Amino acid sequence: MKIDKVPVKGLSSKEYEKALKISWDPVLKYNWDNGKAIGRYLHELKKGRIIARVCDKCNRIMIPPRMFCEYCFRPTDRWQYVKDTGKVNTFAVSRVYWNAQRIPQGEPPIIPAVIEIDGASEGMGLLHLLGNVEPEDIKIGMKVRAVWKPENERTGSITDILYFEPVREKNPPKAKPAAKRR
Amino acid sequence: MGMRKVAIVGAGITKFVRRAQETGPELAYQASKMALDSCGLKLKDIEMITLGTAPDAFDGVHMKGEYLLGGAGGNKKPYIRNFVGGGTGVFAPIHGWMHVASGMCDLCMVVCEEKMSSCHPHPQGAFLTIFDHTTEQPIKPTLIWIFALEMKRYMETYGLKPEDVARVAVKNKKNALDHPSAQVAEELTVEDIVNSEVLADPVHRLDISPASDGAAAVILASEHVAKRLTDKPVWIEGVGWNLDTAYWATKDLYYPRYVEKAARMAYDMAGIKEPHKEIQVAEPYDPFDYKELHHMEGLLLCERGEAARLTAEGYTARDGNLPICPSGGALGVGNPIAATGLMKVIEIFLQLRGEAGKRQVPGNPRVGLAQAWGDLMQVGTVIVLKR
């Protein structure tokens, strides 16, 4: 067999605009239950602390916390606080929002990172943002700490941590606001 | 293992485009019809059908398997949809292989479809809900971010520069000039790639495959039926799949262990002991240019950290020692997720039959591999084909 001619027509953006279309802008709302482990995790975030669960069989200290160990396949055993500091495992300097829309010129980039949390098992990281740092100053392996919202503004969400900032030895500069998000 | 031999005997594919005039079922029909015609079969000859398609959120149609049923020829037949995110396109023929290898049927059609252009303003937005709803979605992540995070980790581990990675995009987009389905085939330079718009550094726009609409289909047959239908059956000799944790930030992203596990499963079944010597042509999944390098390493086609150097030396070019993505890959042909994986399987099918036309790699290859990857950096799906 030979495949040299293939069907299907792609529309130019002009043709697409003219074409008859039906569109739908869904308005749906989901309320997600958090379960025991993530429920406690969120309550602790509201208090400005990060909590993990420990499996005494494989000795993993896990964040996000979970009520069962996926490897030992048994209930996890206990709660354990971990630190709100860690190190940068990897990071990116984003010029796009979640829906691929561009961040306007002149506004700072969003800097997502995987942060390995001190006190959790090695490699246990979480997705968060870096702030109060110039992109060119960020290094993989850099020590960072959580910058929390003021206590009265916390809602019990991962966003109670505004971002992570570098741990600087002396004279920390004034905090700049994190990048605005839509 | 008591399983029957299974061959690919026919294939069909549409053009991959940005905004298809055709509906999803029409795309599926076009590919399916071409696959049936390619081996002289009618729909009534097909006993079972498996359909692969990625998240419902792209098309905005819930129960997409049922929506595509008619276009995939599934009315009143044993028909089922399979789904493992971006890994779907190579899992679909594995699923079809199960149907035939088990003895449940002699002829199974595998259809993959994706229509991403329905989702506005951009199908990337549909990816928000694949992240954990409580611990990750409030940070408003996009898949581009986690690709950028993985790419950064990979580049940092091996000291790679953007240019080292961009060569993959240059090669694949150029290879795609010879593919009739290609959406973004182009002759570009490394500078064009590294100087294109920054989306999430280190990812630039031309490091990424486009959003696409398209479909592909193959016909699978048991041994005795395959030999009646064609002089050139291409046998499915090995299949493998593997999934790693959804807590994607808790594993080191520099190396895809789950891809290695899937590959070892397929190699063991196919009796392949030294994949870097025995695999003669390969189509690893390349939705981003660094992913081709990442996957070559995970598939054990080279040493860890060596893929970029081999690419620079021309080892992976169409006329190199181990041609990688001679089709043009997702980066050049386009990336209608599930259909892309099956496009890769079709490429190896054509290459092993010596029917890839201008894309034909030299040396009459006998053994090839296709691989897809996806979910939250979680799944590897691998198929080994031999003639």
Side-chain angles (χ1 to χ4, degrees), chain B residues 155-169:
Chain B
M155 290 169 70
E156 176 92 4
T157 302
Y158 299 115
L160 300 178
K161 296 192 170 63
E163 290 77 9
D164 299 323
V165 178
R167 285 190 192 96
V168 173

Side-chain angles (χ1 to χ4, degrees), chain B residues 171-249:
Chain B
K171 168 179 71 74
N172 291 5
K173 285 176 186 292
K174 187 172 176 216
N175 282 352
L177 286 167
D178 298 323
H179 200 300
S181 297
Q183 178 184 347
V184 286
E186 212 175 341
E187 194 148 2
L188 295 173
T189 64
V190 166
E191 289 69 39
D192 292 330
I193 310 293
V194 300
N195 292 330
S196 63
E197 182 192 4
V198 176
L199 296 183
D201 190 79
V203 171
H204 292 233
R205 192 175 59 77
L206 290 175
D207 291 313
I208 315 187
S209 58
S212 312
D213 300 349
V218 296
I219 312 289
L220 305 185
S222 61
E223 186 171 12
H224 66 286
V225 174
K227 286 180 174 168
R228 285 211 304 270
L229 288 171
T230 176
D231 295 334
K232 296 198 273 187
V234 170
W235 304 101
I236 298 177
E237 292 283 325
V239 299
W241 65 100
N242 198 281
L243 275 102
D244 200 353
T245 176
Y247 297 108
W248 61 272

Side-chain angles (χ1 to χ4, degrees), chain B residues 75-130:
Chain B
N75 283 359
K76 296 192 178 65
K77 285 186 193 287
Y79 165 96
I80 190 167
R81 172 192 184 176
N82 63 80
F83 173 66
V84 275
T88 301
V90 170
F91 187 76
I94 294 174
H95 192 226
W97 168 86
M98 294 174 190
H99 286 54
V100 180
S102 64
M104 286 296 285
C105 69
D106 286 318
L107 278 167
C108 176
M109 183 157 70
V110 180
V111 185
C112 286
E113 179 273 358
E114 214 71 63
K115 182 153 179 160
M116 300 170 74
S117 62
S118 313
C119 185
H120 292 266
H122 194 281
Q124 273 295 338
F127 284 124
L128 179 63
T129 55
I130 78 171

Side-chain angles (χ1 to χ4, degrees), chain A residues 1-14 16-17 21 24 30 32-34 38-39 41-42 60 63-68 70-71 88-103 110-116 122-129 138-141 156-159 161 181-182, chain B residues 9-15 17-22 27 30-31 34 38 60 117-118 120-122 124-126 128-129 131 133-142 144-146 148-150 152-153 156 180-181 197-202 205 213 232 244-245 247-253 346 349-350 353 355-357 359:
Chain A
M1 65 177 291
K2 281 255 150 61
I3 297 183
D4 40 25
K5 271 198 172 160
V6 291
V8 167
K9 174 179 164 55
L11 298 177
S12 68
S13 42
K14 259 195 185 151
Y16 184 76
E17 258 168 45
K21 292 179 291 288
W24 179 50
Y30 293 87
W32 286 302
D33 294 312
N34 299 310
I38 298 297
Y41 183 60
L42 298 181
R60 286 193 308 153
I63 51 150
R66 52 210 88 162
M67 296 313 290
F68 63 92
E70 317 96 287
Y71 293 105
V88 175
N89 171 284
T90 181
F91 69 97
V93 183
S94 182
R95 298 298 321 171
V96 294
Y97 295 110
W98 66 276
N99 59 1
Q101 297 300 290
R102 306 302 196 260
I103 295 172
I110 302 171
I111 309 176
V114 173
I115 294 145
E116 292 179 40
E122 196 181 341
M124 281 284 168
L126 51 82
L127 170 70
H128 218 290
L129 305 174
I138 305 168
K139 299 273 182 296
I140 284 180
S157 162
I158 191 66
T159 55
I161 298 175
R181 277 176 302 161
R182 280 179 186 165
Chain B
V9 295
I13 190 166
T14 68
K15 196 165 169 47
V17 297
R18 175 70 184 97
R19 302 167 204 85
Q21 185 173 40
E22 290 76 2
L27 291 171
Q30 294 282 3
M34 188 195 285
S38 76
S117 62
S118 313
H120 292 266
H122 194 281
Q124 273 295 338
L128 179 63
T129 55
F131 290 91
H133 49 63
T134 303
T135 59
E136 291 177 342
Q137 276 185 39
I139 297 169
K140 298 266 171 83
T142 150
I144 299 172
W145 285 12
I146 63 170
L149 294 169
E150 187 178 72
K152 179 84 180 175
R153 184 75 188 165
E156 176 92 4
S181 297
E197 182 192 4
V198 176
L199 296 183
D201 190 79
R205 192 175 59 77
D213 300 349
K232 296 198 273 187
D244 200 353
T245 176
Y247 297 108
W248 61 272
T250 65
K251 64 184 182 201
D252 203 325
L253 298 171
I346 292 171
F349 167 72
L350 294 173
R353 283 167 62 115
E355 293 174 346
R359 302 190 308 283

Side-chain angles (χ1 to χ4, degrees), chain A residues 71-86:
Chain A
Y71 293 105
C72 306
F73 227 59
R74 58 187 285 282
T76 48
D77 297 284
R78 57 202 163 80
W79 298 99
Q80 184 167 316
Y81 289 109
V82 292
K83 296 192 172 159
D84 68 351
T85 58

